[in-house]
Amino acid sequence: MVTIDIQLNEYSYPIHIGHGLLSTIDTLIDVSRQIVIITDDFIPKIYLNTIQSKLNSPLVFEVPNGENSKSMEIVYSIINEMLESNITRKCLVIALGGGVIGDLAGFISSIYMRGVDFIQIPTTLLSQIDSSVGGKVGINSDTMKNSIGSFYQPKMVIIDIDTLQTLSKRQFNNGIAEMIKYGMIADKSLFSALLNNGVSEETLDLYIQKCINIKKSYVQNDVYDQGKRQILNYGHTIGHAIEQDSKYSILHGESIAIGMVQMSKGRPFYNQLISLLTKYSLPIEYKKELTKLIKYIKTDKKVLNNILNLIVVEELGKGFIKPININDIRKYL
Ligand SMILES: NC(=O)c1ccc[n+]([C@@H]2O[C@H](COP(=O)([O-])OP(=O)(O)OC[C@H]3O[C@@H](n4cnc5c(N)ncnc54)[C@H](O)[C@@H]3O)[C@@H](O)[C@H]2O)c1
């Protein structure tokens, strides 16, 4: 097991990364606490069963899998049931699943009785290298993705790489899109390794650690996303709009992939990016008129006084923030 510590003073926490960690959960957390597990109905039951067998009758919620579970209705129904079950503010909430579960469970933990402890057990590649780290939690409103939320750090993240074995190829590649993003904004060697050698069983562990270390440095320096942490949003302005316009039929990583392609047009690495995305069966274009996306981009919560902080990569491995007038986004569509 490798441990990476996120250092945020009293909000610091360890990220344990390894194989077979689910069955050691009783050595990592205090199992005598009241425990609530939030998971979804598609994740293979073996993971829930493994954890449950080590815990003392936890209260379990299985929400429908998919983005629609990041909703106020689900938040409200889980909170009501936690109250009816006499779950106190000393409880521990475990998010067992992908980014949807992490965002949802984290948000519930941030508001239940003004905040209770939670840990993340991410089970998708995307959630292991990205969403479980950094404390952004939240749900969607009817009109905007992630518009209701908070910054709320977990007490621990447990990454059991073995859980990726049951992930579909599409979901695995969806996570690879975020891995490519890390390469583009911060680590040229990761980009080249993915392009030239791909991911093997041996390198997967190392690449997961590399991505977490990149995210760690941005989060530690800018926890509330006011400055350089925004560089992690490379490809996301257009990506989020595609996700919403496609009603989430195009997955988060897939949408980011198209967003990165749009941002790379005319750059020297454009062809390499196309080859890399194609290698992982990731989409490189949105099959609809891109100007349709402007309405989503204009209402993006990151737009202030018509200024959008666009993330640009001119040289592989170096992302930077370029504030633009919102209307200039047309150049990238
Ligand atoms: N908070 C953040 O910083 C942050 C960052 C990036 C993305 N996100 C959010 O994360 C979400 C996307 O996360 P995701 O891609 O993990 O999606 P997801 O949570 O919907 O999981 C994808 C699918 O994989 C299934 N699954 C999960 N683990 C599995 C496993 N081990 N084996 C087989 N199937 C499994 C799930 O049931 C689901 O159907 C989006 O809502 C996005 O907004 C948040």
Side-chain angles (χ1 to χ4, degrees):
M1 182 175 90
V2 171
T3 300
I4 297 174
D5 288 308
I6 302 291
Q7 280 144 2
L8 295 170
N9 303 317
E10 71 264 44
Y11 300 112
S12 300
Y13 53 97
I15 301 174
H16 301 301
I17 310 164
H19 293 265
L21 295 191
L22 289 186
S23 58
T24 66
I25 189 160
D26 50 338
T27 65
L28 298 171
I29 64 167
D30 174 5
V31 294
S32 67
R33 293 173 77 169
Q34 237 182 357
I35 289 177
V36 176
I37 302 177
I38 303 179
T39 187
D40 81 37
D41 61 2
F42 187 75
I43 298 164
K45 289 288 165 286
I46 173 110
Y47 307 133
L48 176 62
N49 294 344
T50 304
I51 294 180
Q52 253 183 316
S53 71
K54 305 278 175 184
L55 306 175
N56 216 344
S57 314
L59 179 64
V60 178
F61 292 95
E62 272 184 49
V63 303
N65 78 91
E67 189 71 28
N68 289 340
S69 281
K70 280 171 60 173
S71 74
M72 204 45 113
E73 290 73 29
I74 298 235
V75 168
Y76 198 62
S77 75
I78 290 181
I79 285 182
N80 271 331
E81 214 172 313
M82 284 170 71
L83 290 168
E84 279 164 21
S85 306
N86 296 319
I87 298 295
T88 71
R89 59 198 304 189
K90 297 271 179 213
C91 76
L92 174 70
V93 174
I94 298 179
L96 174 69
V100 164
I101 292 302
D103 284 8
L104 172 71
F107 180 62
I108 290 171
S109 307
S110 76
I111 56 174
Y112 187 74
M113 298 198 172
R114 297 208 174 85
V116 295
D117 289 351
F118 93 108
I119 66 167
Q120 293 261 20
I121 306 188
T123 59
T124 61
L125 180 59
L126 184 139
S127 56
Q128 293 189 350
I129 63 173
D130 188 4
S131 61
S132 63
V133 179
K136 281 190 187 175
V137 298
I139 57 170
N140 307 323
S141 66
D142 291 343
T143 51
M144 204 199 296
K145 188 173 159 64
N146 295 335
S147 50
I148 305 166
S150 21
F151 284 94
Y152 197 69
Q153 304 295 336
K155 292 289 171 201
M156 180 184 291
V157 182
I158 301 173
I159 296 180
D160 187 338
I161 296 174
D162 289 348
T163 58
L164 300 182
Q165 284 167 9
T166 51
L167 209 57
S168 69
K169 192 160 178 268
R170 183 179 179 199
Q171 289 292 349
F172 185 82
N173 290 342
N174 186 50
I176 291 286
E178 289 281 2
M179 201 175 259
I180 294 170
K181 176 204 76 182
Y182 283 116
M184 295 192 72
I185 59 166
D187 188 342
K188 187 180 169 186
S189 69
L190 175 60
F191 184 93
S192 305
L194 289 171
L195 182 64
N196 300 325
N197 309 318
V199 184
S200 64
E201 258 181 50
E202 292 74 45
T203 51
L204 180 61
D205 290 32
L206 180 69
Y207 295 166
I208 289 175
Q209 288 171 39
K210 265 181 187 275
C211 294
I212 292 173
N213 273 316
I214 294 170
K215 181 134 190 193
K216 167 183 156 129
S217 69
Y218 284 108
V219 168
Q220 285 183 175
N221 289 312
D222 176 23
V223 69
Y224 294 113
D225 208 12
Q226 298 295 309
K228 288 201 170 157
R229 181 172 174 174
Q230 293 172 39
I231 293 172
L232 292 166
N233 291 331
Y234 182 59
H236 283 54
T237 298
I238 296 172
H240 273 167
I242 292 174
E243 254 186 297
Q244 288 182 78
D245 191 59
S246 74
K247 305 207 164 36
Y248 304 105
S249 63
I250 303 184
L251 303 176
H252 180 76
E254 293 171 340
S255 306
I256 299 324
I258 302 170
M260 293 192 294
V261 169
Q262 289 303 123
M263 294 305 302
S264 299
K265 288 199 165 149
R267 306 276 179 216
F269 48 81
Y270 178 75
N271 289 339
Q272 285 174 294
L273 176 63
I274 298 294
S275 305
L276 183 48
L277 295 174
T278 311
K279 180 172 174 162
Y280 287 99
S281 311
L282 287 160
I284 53 171
E285 62 178 348
Y286 189 45
K287 301 235 168 352
K288 287 188 190 167
E289 183 49 55
L290 285 177
T291 46
K292 267 188 78 173
L293 303 176
I294 288 175
K295 66 173 186 236
Y296 301 102
I297 296 172
K298 280 197 166 160
T299 54
D300 192 302
K301 61 183 180 299
K302 298 197 179 76
V303 176
L304 272 183
N305 299 328
N306 284 332
I307 298 295
L308 167 69
N309 279 348
L310 198 65
I311 311 308
V312 176
V313 173
E314 285 178 354
E315 188 187 329
L316 269 185
K318 290 188 182 154
F320 66 94
I321 301 172
K322 182 179 178 185
I324 62 162
N325 185 287
I326 184 67
N327 294 314
D328 291 341
I329 192 67
R330 286 174 190 278
K331 289 183 197 154
Y332 299 90
L333 296 174

